[in-house]
Amino acid sequence: MKIIVYATNNPEKNQIVDAEVVELLNKDAKISYVTAKNDPEKKDFEAFKDWYGKLGYKNIACFDLGKDYSLDVEEVALQGNVVCIDDDNPFNTLGMIIKRNLGGKLGEFVKKGGVLIGIGKGGMLIGRAIKNASLLMEDVENTYNVDGGKALEVTNFNLFPHYKDSEELDEKLLTNSKTTNIIALREGEGIIVWDDDKFIIGEPQ
């Protein structure tokens, strides 16, 4: 299993995580940036392309699960060796993944050696549930009525990005972690699982 999780999409704060990534991920990697955001200008994708381009990765393509989606697009996206899930509303992203019947395919992608990157809230999808996303957003849009107790379940723990030290937040996270461990990541922190090795960058809660 190969997984990379960033707490934030801010490259300036991700330099320590990036230093590990460039040691592990070949520069000729074919990266599919997956989004469910309706963004005609692709601002987030262009920012990611610039960020990873500066790390030496040039083969990066954007795949929108909403606009212009087709099975051909899906096939091309999964032909790469890296899939990156953007930092967007995880309820709607998961809803679109379910709608496109991609959940199991992404799981198989990882089992076959593919690299799955989760950025910010996109990293929550890699865990077992996304219900804690409501603690990051005041008004949670859940267009597809997704069950927050579900996610892609690639890992046996849940992830909470953009973490800020707060007793109130800690209490809520502890309440929600009675059955599954939660790893809370501050800005600049991250987790990399690479086959039998696990790299924890920072001091996550």
Side-chain angles (χ1 to χ4, degrees), residues 21-168:
V21 170
V22 297
E23 291 293 322
L24 296 168
L25 187 61
N26 293 332
K27 294 296 175 62
D28 61 354
K30 184 178 179 181
I31 303 174
S32 299
Y33 181 89
V34 175
T35 180
K37 186 183 296 181
N38 184 16
D39 179 15
E41 297 180 6
K42 299 183 178 180
K43 292 180 180 179
D44 288 347
F45 167 67
E46 291 299 333
F48 175 79
K49 190 176 179 181
D50 180 66
W51 164 19
Y52 258 55
K54 290 177 179 177
L55 297 180
Y57 301 99
K58 305 299 182 183
N59 195 348
I60 308 172
C62 182
F63 297 91
D64 191 325
L65 295 179
K67 182 182 178 182
D68 299 329
Y69 175 85
S70 71
L71 290 177
D72 289 339
V73 168
E74 173 191 308
E75 182 178 354
V76 172
L78 294 179
Q79 279 178 353
N81 50 353
V82 182
V83 169
C84 175
I85 304 175
D86 73 348
D87 184 14
D88 194 21
N89 179 342
F91 285 94
N92 284 349
T93 303
L94 180 60
M96 189 61 78
I97 287 173
I98 293 171
K99 180 178 180 180
R100 302 305 188 196
N101 196 29
L102 273 174
K105 294 176 184 178
L106 283 170
E108 286 299 313
F109 171 81
V110 174
K111 288 179 181 179
K112 292 178 179 178
V115 181
L116 188 58
I117 300 176
I119 301 176
K121 293 184 290 295
M124 301 181 83
L125 291 165
I126 295 174
R128 301 188 66 81
I130 59 170
K131 59 183 177 181
N132 289 316
S134 60
L135 302 177
L136 289 170
M137 302 177 288
E138 291 184 3
D139 298 314
V140 181
E141 181 182 350
N142 189 354
T143 304
Y144 305 98
N145 296 315
V146 169
D147 177 2
K150 299 291 184 181
L152 296 177
E153 300 184 354
V154 176
T155 67
N156 59 1
F157 52 83
N158 287 329
L159 293 150
F160 188 83
H162 305 297
Y163 173 78
K164 295 180 180 179
D165 293 282
S166 162
E167 290 186 5
E168 181 181 357

Side-chain angles (χ1 to χ4, degrees), residues 176-192:
N176 291 341
S177 65
K178 291 180 178 178
T179 57
T180 304
N181 290 333
I182 296 177
I183 299 177
L185 300 169
R186 300 178 183 84
E187 304 290 283
E189 296 182 333
I191 293 177
I192 299 175

